[in-house]
Amino acid sequence: MNLNMNSVETLVAQIQGLSGSTSDVNHLHTLLKQLEELFKSESSRLAPLLTELDPSIHSLGYLYILEACTSAPISKEQASELVLSVGRFINLCSAEQIRVAPDKFISVCKRFKDQVMLLEDPMRGVAPMLTALQKLQYSSEQLTTLHPDFLLLCLLAKCYKTGLSILEDDIFEVDQPRDFFLYCYYGGMICIGQKKFSKALELLHSVVTAPMSVLNAIAIEAYKKYILVSLIHLGQFSSSFPKYTSSVAQRNLKNFSQPYLELVNSYCTGKISELEAFVQANNEKFESDKNLGLVKQVVSSMYKRNIQRLTQTYLTLSLEDIANTVQLNSAKEAEMHVLQMIQDGEIYATINQKDGMVRFLEDPEQYKTCEMIELIDSSIQRIMMLSRKLTDMDEQLSCDPLYLGKAGRDRQRFDFDDFDTVPSKFTV
């Protein structure tokens, strides 16, 4: 079957006439699925049809035609035009209609992402991809396959704050494991870019401890960054894994991260000269992993840790003594470190400019201000919400036929009350 004038007019009329009610849209979807092969073979002749359709009203039909039009390879010159047309469709389309054919919408959006990267202009893709994933989601708890693509564009465009906007959502629904790994990995990198190390650790930890039957490259790279961020934020790192970590990760991750684990050992000595020498000796490895910037932050954090240790021993100390103890070049450099740590809330101290003496203070927080009470209350509310969510998920799982079938089979395998399962040499 080929497209002729009559069939084109019929197709456009059907799309325009069946884009109203839910039942009409479902009927249109059935018709469009039957025409998929025709769309593929006639993709080069379909573009004019888009001018006769309104993407906000005829979203499903527009999507099918747009997906066919964008399926063929295009040049860099054509990419700019495609980015404009797809971006416009994403902004105008009906969420209810595109959810009828999510695979088509995802396909178009991924090609859109590829084209903005081809143009080396990831910024152009950030806003449309955010709109796309929000329209594809049924709720903010759902992780779509577009989440990692959006976060990647944010990373490349250095739009870290925009990326943070979706990382605040609690995710409970995951379709593809790879999407979850990439979401947490890219999300962790965005949090690192914003110096939100606590959230970065949470996301990278999720990658490292997620269920996996085969070790993957994402988990390896996440583990390396997890080590570095732990040193920067916590000043320490534990090489032992939680019990719920997969056996594959526990057996293999350390083998791929030896220089990073050796960095931990060097860091724990507290000697800045040894740490700097180790970093210099392994500079090429860290740079090839694209982690040299984080490693430099690890070195810088050691000065802070050493200054924090002084607060546990001394009430007052001169800037000159601080510089000598933590191996800084001058009292002025020590002053800059102390001031920055005071500003970041990492220590509580005052500096007497006249005699260059630093007085270390106790934490002034009394945990009785309105702000602190609101913070504690919001944390309690969040924990209660998570508890309810876990209870609901447990109830759903306990009724899942697949789970019950597997649990029943496992129970039979280990049911030693049945004497038929006892080996003959143990039979009484």
Side-chain angles (χ1 to χ4, degrees):
M1 178 181 176
N2 294 319
L3 278 178
N4 54 44
M5 187 62 69
N6 289 334
S7 60
V8 166
E9 290 177 356
T10 302
L11 175 61
V12 171
Q14 285 180 323
I15 292 173
Q16 291 174 339
L18 295 173
S19 296
S21 66
T22 301
S23 58
D24 283 346
V25 170
N26 289 333
H27 179 50
L28 175 62
H29 186 217
T30 302
L31 295 175
L32 292 172
K33 283 196 293 185
Q34 295 170 358
L35 296 173
E36 279 195 80
E37 291 302 319
L38 175 63
F39 288 159
K40 288 179 182 177
S41 62
E42 301 285 345
S43 59
S44 60
R45 299 171 56 192
L46 292 173
L49 274 64
L50 296 176
T51 61
E52 300 183 45
L53 300 173
D54 185 334
S56 63
I57 301 173
H58 315 119
S59 301
L60 182 61
Y62 199 103
L63 173 61
Y64 263 81
I65 295 172
L66 184 62
E67 196 270 339
C69 291
T70 58
S71 60
I74 63 171
S75 64
K76 192 170 183 178
E77 290 71 27
Q78 295 172 310
S80 185
E81 184 178 341
L82 183 145
V83 166
L84 284 173
S85 59
V86 175
R88 177 173 175 269
F89 171 71
I90 289 172
N91 287 327
L92 295 176
C93 70
S94 160
E96 290 73 20
Q97 288 194 36
I98 61 98
R99 286 177 192 156
V100 175
D103 291 344
K104 294 289 181 186
F105 186 67
I106 288 168
S107 175
V108 168
C109 291
K110 285 187 174 290
R111 288 172 194 160
F112 170 80
K113 183 264 296 184
D114 292 340
Q115 297 312 313
V116 295
M117 292 182 68
L118 176 67
L119 294 169
E120 299 179 355
D121 191 8
M123 180 71 78
R124 290 179 66 180
V126 171
M129 283 297 284
L130 177 58
T131 301
L133 72 86
Q134 288 172 338
K135 287 189 174 184
L136 189 61
Q137 279 182 311
Y138 287 97
S139 78
S140 61
E141 297 177 353
Q142 179 191 8
L143 179 69
T144 73
T145 193
L146 298 182
H147 276 74
D149 293 322
F150 166 68
L151 292 175
L152 176 59
L153 290 177
C154 288
L155 274 172
L156 296 174
K158 293 184 170 56
C159 292
Y160 302 137
K161 288 186 178 179
T162 307
L164 283 174
S165 64
I166 67 165
L167 295 174
E168 295 169 358
D169 297 328
D170 291 315
I171 298 295
F172 294 100
E173 300 174 32
V174 180
D175 292 329
Q176 298 297 326
R178 186 174 183 274
D179 294 334
F180 177 74
F181 278 100
L182 286 173
Y183 167 80
C184 292
Y185 180 66
Y186 290 149
M189 292 176 69
I190 283 175
C191 291
I192 290 169
Q194 284 293 96
K195 306 291 185 185
K196 294 185 177 295
F197 294 123
S198 180
K199 182 66 175 179
L201 282 175
E202 176 188 324
L203 290 165
L204 295 172
H205 180 268
S206 295
V207 180
V208 173
T209 59
M212 63 183 88
S213 56
V214 179
L215 192 66
N216 61 71
I218 305 170
I220 293 170
E221 296 308 310
Y223 187 60
K224 293 173 182 177
K225 285 182 170 59
Y226 183 67
I227 293 171
L228 298 176
V229 177
S230 294
L231 293 177
I232 293 168
H233 185 60
L234 304 175
Q236 60 185 2
F237 174 76
S238 172
S239 59
S240 60
F241 292 95
K243 291 182 179 180
Y244 49 82
T245 308
S246 69
S247 57
V248 172
Q250 294 192 50
R251 285 197 307 267
N252 299 296
L253 277 178
K254 293 179 183 178
N255 298 333
F256 290 91
S257 311
Q258 280 306 311
Y260 295 84
L261 295 172
E262 291 171 15
L263 178 73
V264 173
N265 294 333
S266 181
Y267 186 95
C268 290
T269 65
K271 298 176 181 177
I272 193 72
S273 56
E274 287 187 17
L275 180 63
E276 289 177 335
F278 178 84
V279 170
Q280 188 61 38
N282 293 271
N283 190 79
E284 189 174 326
K285 170 62 178 172
F286 294 136
E287 190 165 15
S288 66
D289 287 345
K290 294 183 170 55
N291 285 328
L292 187 58
L294 272 178
V295 170
K296 289 180 177 178
Q297 289 186 58
V298 169
V299 175
S300 178
S301 74
M302 178 175 275
Y303 291 113
K304 293 182 179 182
R305 299 302 164 198
N306 288 341
I307 291 173
Q308 284 178 328
R309 290 190 187 100
L310 294 177
T311 67
Q312 299 169 11
T313 308
Y314 300 95
L315 290 176
T316 58
L317 202 61
S318 70
L319 290 169
E320 192 69 42
D321 287 338
I322 292 175
N324 293 334
T325 305
V326 303
Q327 300 177 44
L328 289 167
N329 295 324
S330 65
K332 187 66 178 175
E333 194 173 341
E335 182 180 7
M336 296 303 295
H337 272 82
V338 171
L339 286 172
Q340 186 62 52
M341 292 177 72
I342 293 172
Q343 184 177 330
D344 294 341
E346 294 172 322
I347 62 171
Y348 302 97
T350 58
I351 300 176
N352 189 324
Q353 295 292 340
K354 290 183 179 179
D355 54 14
M357 295 297 292
V358 179
R359 183 186 176 198
F360 298 118
L361 308 171
E362 295 292 328
D363 183 351
E365 179 59 64
Q366 298 296 311
Y367 298 96
K368 58 184 181 182
T369 62
C370 292
E371 292 80 4
M372 182 55 65
I373 292 171
E374 288 178 4
L375 179 62
I376 293 172
D377 182 63
S378 66
S379 298
I380 293 172
Q381 293 299 324
R382 174 175 161 74
I383 291 170
M384 291 171 64
M385 182 275 292
L386 290 172
S387 177
R388 289 193 295 270
K389 192 70 181 179
L390 284 171
T391 301
D392 292 342
M393 293 172 70
D394 182 61
E395 290 176 355
Q396 291 174 18
L397 188 62
S398 65
C399 300
D400 188 288
L402 292 175
Y403 169 76
L404 292 174
K406 187 178 187 308
R409 289 193 299 272
D410 290 344
R411 190 177 297 114
Q412 289 173 6
R413 284 173 55 201
F414 298 106
D415 187 2
F416 294 107
D417 291 331
D418 184 352
F419 283 110
D420 290 338
T421 65
V422 180
S424 58
K425 66 178 182 178
F426 294 121
T427 302
V428 178

